[in-house]
């Protein structure tokens, strides 16, 4: 039992660390692309994010077993996409890759770009959207937490596709607040 309590506290801290790091990464953009620093922050936050989200999904495994298994798998694809976009930021800066260079590479290798970025990219916001909907529907969290997750998930794709920094920061905030609230709840060990 004590092991579970300690694990849950670490998972809560991991959620807070990953939410904070994702907010920080958005401040490291140059033009419309993440810098190497932003990319590294995104990459290094993924293990914390996976551990923290695993705690959320574990908590609901008995209440929603089918959703939990598929939802977490979907989330893991989203985590891979986060690493991919982080690596893109690192490589763009290290090798001086510009947006026109990326557009040419996309046309030359459409299948690779589609698989690495566009096919799995929506997995993260979709997993957050489904989590928020299930938390709201099953009344497993406070309504405002579920609603902010839903709004953050809905705003994620347009904020990332448009690369408008204000929209990205707003989206980050919509996700940051509920993730910190859930993390703090896990740390305090409240149901």
């Amino acid at each position: 039992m004590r092991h579970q309590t300690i694990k849950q506290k670490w998972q809560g801290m991991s959620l807070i660390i990953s939410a904070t790091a994702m907010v920080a990464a958005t401040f490291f953009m140059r033009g419309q692309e993440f810098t190497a620093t932003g990319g590294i922050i995104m990459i290094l936050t993924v293990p914390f994010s996976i551990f923290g989200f695993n705690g959320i999904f574990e908590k609901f495994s008995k209440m929603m077993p089918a959703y939990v298994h598929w939802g977490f798998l979907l989330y893991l694809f989203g985590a891979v996409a986060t690493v991919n976009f982080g690596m893109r930021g690192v490589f763009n800066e290290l090798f001086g890759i510009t947006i026109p260079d990326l557009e040419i590479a996309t046309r030359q290798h459409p299948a690779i770009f589609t698989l690495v970025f566009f096919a799995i990219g929506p997995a993260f916001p979709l997993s957050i959207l489904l989590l928020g909907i299930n938390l709201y529907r099953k009344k497993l969290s406070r309504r405002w937490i579920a609603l902010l997750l839903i709004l953050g998930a809905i705003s994620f794709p347009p904020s990332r596709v448009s690369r408008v920094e204000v929209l990205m920061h707003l989206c980050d905030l919509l996700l940051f607040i509920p993730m910190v609230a859930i993390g703090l709840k896990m740390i305090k060990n409240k149901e």
Side-chain angles (χ1 to χ4, degrees):
M1 185 66 161
R2 177 158 166 68
H3 169 73
Q4 280 303 107
T5 303
I6 293 169
K7 180 181 174 187
Q8 184 176 321
K9 289 181 188 307
W10 278 104
Q11 287 171 323
M13 284 189 281
S14 291
L15 280 176
I16 294 168
I17 290 167
S18 66
T20 304
M22 289 307 284
V23 168
T26 307
F27 284 98
F28 292 96
M29 291 189 68
R30 185 175 305 121
Q32 294 186 333
E33 293 292 320
F34 284 100
T35 63
T37 303
I40 291 292
I41 292 170
M42 290 171 67
I43 293 163
L44 294 179
T45 193
V46 168
F48 292 102
S49 183
I50 290 171
F51 188 56
F53 271 89
N54 186 49
I56 294 172
F57 284 103
E58 280 178 351
K59 183 174 182 178
F60 304 123
S61 64
K62 290 183 181 161
M63 294 171 256
M64 306 181 286
Y67 161 70
V68 165
H69 300 303
W70 288 105
F72 189 62
L73 181 62
L74 185 63
Y75 175 77
L76 290 175
F77 276 102
V80 170
T82 300
V83 170
N84 292 348
F85 280 101
M87 290 301 296
R88 178 175 148 178
V90 171
F91 289 147
N92 286 355
E93 187 169 330
L94 291 180
F95 301 119
I97 300 169
T98 64
I99 291 176
D101 295 333
L102 284 172
E103 291 168 352
I104 291 168
T106 302
R107 285 192 299 276
Q108 291 174 340
H109 307 283
I112 293 170
F113 269 79
T114 298
L115 179 63
V116 171
F117 296 111
F118 308 119
I120 63 172
F124 173 74
L126 183 57
S127 69
I128 300 298
L129 178 65
L130 293 174
L131 176 63
I133 290 170
N134 277 298
L135 292 177
Y136 189 89
R137 237 182 77 234
K138 305 267 186 182
K139 299 178 182 166
L140 296 173
S141 74
R142 295 186 178 205
R143 295 287 176 136
W144 67 267
I145 290 174
L147 288 172
L148 285 178
L149 285 172
I150 292 167
L151 288 172
I154 291 170
S155 69
F156 193 88
S159 76
R160 282 358 188 219
V161 170
S162 71
R163 296 290 196 191
V164 175
E165 286 186 52
V166 172
L167 295 178
M168 293 176 77
H169 289 299
L170 179 61
C171 174
D172 288 347
L173 189 61
L174 287 171
L175 293 172
F176 174 79
I177 293 169
M179 296 317 307
V180 169
I182 293 169
L184 288 172
K185 198 172 196 179
M186 290 171 79
I187 290 169
K188 293 176 183 174
N189 201 17
K190 292 184 179 177
E191 292 299 316

